Amino acid sequence: MVLITEEIRAKAMIVYGDEIGQEKTVFLLQEVGLPTGLLPLKDIIECGYVEETGFVWLKQKKKIEHKFQKVGRQVIYGTDITAYVEKYKIKKLTGVKVKELMVWVTLGDIVVEDPENGKITFRSPTGLFRTFPASAFDGEGPVREIKEPMGVLDKKNTKETNEVKEGMVGNEDKKEAILAMEGMVVNEVKEAILAKE
């Protein structure tokens, strides 16, 4: 995470409070061409933006968890989130983790690589990545405060994922996205094991 110094604060536009923080966050996402539901935060305390560098920080009262229903992904947003934004990109993101199978993975970059076809790619600092339809991240849904430690298996989510895999709920796009993601993770684990041998 980037230390927010007095020098950075002096160059930044800073707002305080949840309502104005939410508005500025949505406005900034719109300005850089990213889906407005990427940061469904709650109880924002402070939001800062340094236009010349694109540096952004957000502080909220508590960690929250949000599930993006259209892609079946759970995301944890920490109390302090920082990033650099530019057109169609969020770079050097800190404070955000996504659940991949049963493991929480830190996100590092978010890029709309194909704005015309609405594809958005999420990358971890370790090189893992996933691409989804950008429309899956428009708008926002309910968030919940984190009460259990990160890494605890969410049995409800596993049940929902299994139902989707079996075709019992959801549409074909969601089912394909989950199966593709799981296949990619398995292949990456196999490659990592083979590389060590």
Side-chain angles (χ1 to χ4, degrees):
M1 187 168 122
V2 178
L3 180 63
I4 303 163
T5 64
E6 288 305 315
E7 182 181 342
I8 291 173
R9 287 179 168 281
K11 296 176 182 177
M13 177 200 72
I14 304 172
V15 296
Y16 301 92
D18 186 52
E19 188 174 334
I20 188 89
Q22 301 256 0
E23 288 174 19
K24 294 297 181 185
T25 301
V26 169
F27 177 77
L28 182 60
L29 289 169
Q30 286 175 335
E31 286 293 300
V32 296
L34 293 165
T36 58
L38 277 178
L39 297 170
L41 304 180
K42 181 180 176 182
D43 296 329
I44 295 174
I45 300 168
E46 180 179 292
C47 176
Y49 176 56
V50 180
E51 189 172 4
E52 69 183 63
T53 62
F55 180 65
V56 177
W57 74 88
L58 298 153
K59 294 182 181 222
Q60 60 182 352
K61 288 182 183 176
K62 295 181 180 179
K63 291 181 185 179
I64 58 161
E65 185 173 338
H66 177 79
K67 184 170 184 180
F68 289 98
Q69 297 293 336
K70 293 179 183 175
V71 293
R73 286 289 175 280
Q74 287 178 259
V75 180
I76 288 182
Y77 296 89
T79 55
D80 295 301
I81 299 167
T82 63
Y84 289 88
V85 297
E86 60 186 63
K87 195 67 172 173
Y88 301 119
K89 294 180 184 176
I90 295 177
K91 301 185 303 182
K92 298 181 182 177
L93 178 65
T94 67
V96 181
K97 293 185 178 192
V98 63
K99 190 180 235 181
E100 287 291 333
L101 298 177
M102 297 186 298
V103 179
W104 288 100
V105 177
T106 300
L107 285 181
D109 298 308
I110 302 172
V111 180
V112 176
E113 294 180 345
D114 188 358
E116 290 182 21
N117 293 319
K119 299 290 183 186
I120 188 166
T121 299
F122 299 82
R123 289 191 181 95
S124 76
T126 60
L128 295 174
F129 69 92
R130 301 285 173 261
T131 301
F132 298 103
S135 60
F137 304 93
D138 284 333
E140 63 182 79
V143 294
R144 68 180 176 97
E145 294 174 5
I146 301 300
K147 294 185 179 155
E148 70 274 356
M150 286 190 273
V152 174
L153 176 61
D154 183 343
K155 292 179 181 170
K156 181 175 182 271
N157 183 49
T158 303
K159 181 178 181 283
E160 290 170 357
T161 303
N162 288 335
E163 288 174 350
V164 170
K165 282 194 270 185
E166 296 167 9
M168 295 165 54
V169 299
N171 60 31
E172 286 302 308
D173 290 339
K174 185 175 177 181
K175 180 180 174 184
E176 286 177 18
I178 289 171
L179 292 173
M181 180 279 308
E182 289 180 353
M184 291 169 76
V185 169
V186 169
N187 287 336
E188 289 166 0
V189 169
K190 286 179 185 174
E191 289 173 12
I193 291 170
L194 291 173
K196 287 184 179 181
E197 291 180 347

